[in-house]
Amino acid sequence: MSSKKWFVLGISGATCSGKTSLTNRLHNELKNSVVIYQDNYFLPKNDPRHVKIDELNHLNWEVITSMDMNKMRSDVLQLIKSSPTENSSSETVNKNILILDGFLLFKCKVISDLCDRKYFITLTKEECWERRKGRVYDPPDVPGYFEKVVWPEYLKHKDELMKDNDFCKTITFIDGLESKEEIFQLVFAEIKKLLS
């Protein structure tokens, strides 16, 4: 086992694809795990750095600039430099696990490069809309936002990732139409094997 104190797991993908359900389940099952959610780094609504979509009179929350990625990067780096305190007795060989969850996680090269394993959950447009329309966001989606912004931004992001051959060698794409249980079992089995 390497001397690295942390095993870093990145979980990304389409909106409503099941990222957070997977993250939370892994966090429950993997002792010594800590989670950082990219969603916690959205800029406040009144931040001037936001991109406004004039035709919808709405902010674009689907781009990396809608988040304070400097803060997220700094929090992640600070955590993995820290010495894990609990379970550091000699009999526990368990590595500390950092689970990163975010729909644009791999847009940040520093964070992407830190990940020992990367997963990206894909969804069809129909399923994505089915799941998204039932969710309540703050601020709420305005009519046309999914069609004009959410889905095109997701396709653009996925396309960028898939064009990067080196990156594609380091990531596992998962079909979000699979059941949550199947997705969890697939990832959990892989992580356990890597940590053994």
Side-chain angles (χ1 to χ4, degrees):
M1 190 165 274
S2 74
S3 58
K4 214 175 115 189
K5 293 183 206 144
W6 291 86
F7 180 87
V8 185
L9 184 55
I11 296 172
S12 191
T15 175
C16 305
S17 59
K19 298 180 297 298
T20 305
S21 301
L22 174 61
T23 296
N24 293 343
R25 179 97 188 266
L26 288 167
H27 179 46
N28 287 336
E29 298 288 340
L30 296 164
K31 309 300 172 227
N32 300 3
S33 67
V34 177
V35 181
I36 293 182
Y37 300 97
Q38 191 177 31
D39 280 6
N40 292 341
Y41 294 88
F42 275 113
L43 299 170
K45 292 176 219 175
N46 58 356
D47 194 291
R49 288 170 287 181
H50 276 298
V51 176
K52 189 162 184 229
I53 303 145
D54 291 328
E55 69 170 303
L56 296 175
N57 192 26
H58 195 68
L59 300 176
N60 186 346
W61 296 93
E62 314 310 308
V63 286
I64 196 83
T65 50
S66 66
M67 297 173 205
D68 186 346
M69 288 309 293
N70 289 337
K71 172 90 173 90
M72 182 176 185
R73 192 168 52 236
S74 139
D75 287 354
V76 169
L77 292 171
Q78 199 175 345
L79 178 70
I80 59 176
K81 278 181 193 143
S82 70
S83 289
T85 44
E86 52 189 313
N87 298 339
S88 52
S89 62
S90 54
E91 84 255 13
T92 45
V93 198
N94 286 350
K95 205 172 239 209
N96 290 272
I97 301 159
L98 171 59
I99 308 170
L100 301 172
D101 165 310
F103 74 114
L104 293 174
L105 205 55
F106 306 133
K107 273 268 198 198
C108 175
K109 185 161 169 40
V110 173
I111 288 176
S112 182
D113 289 349
L114 284 171
C115 295
D116 296 292
R117 283 307 281 127
K118 300 179 192 127
Y119 296 95
F120 190 94
I121 308 175
T122 61
L123 265 190
T124 62
K125 185 179 183 183
E126 296 68 34
E127 183 61 24
C128 192
W129 170 243
E130 270 309 305
R131 296 180 189 185
R132 176 132 181 155
K133 68 182 183 187
R135 287 217 185 159
V136 179
Y137 291 90
D138 178 29
D141 284 355
V142 293
Y145 184 67
F146 179 82
E147 281 289 335
K148 288 194 170 74
V149 186
V150 176
W151 190 251
E153 290 286 4
Y154 161 69
L155 289 180
K156 190 168 131 196
H157 176 49
K158 189 174 117 197
D159 199 42
E160 279 169 13
L161 295 181
M162 294 183 94
K163 277 186 180 146
D164 182 339
N165 292 333
D166 291 337
F167 178 79
C168 279
K169 288 176 192 154
T170 70
I171 190 165
T172 303
F173 287 94
I174 296 173
D175 182 355
L177 293 176
E178 300 277 340
S179 75
K180 282 183 182 175
E181 186 59 31
E182 284 172 306
I183 292 173
F184 168 73
Q185 292 300 344
L186 169 90
V187 174
F188 190 55
E190 224 175 68
I191 301 307
K192 278 207 307 197
K193 198 168 158 189
L194 289 167
L195 290 173
S196 63

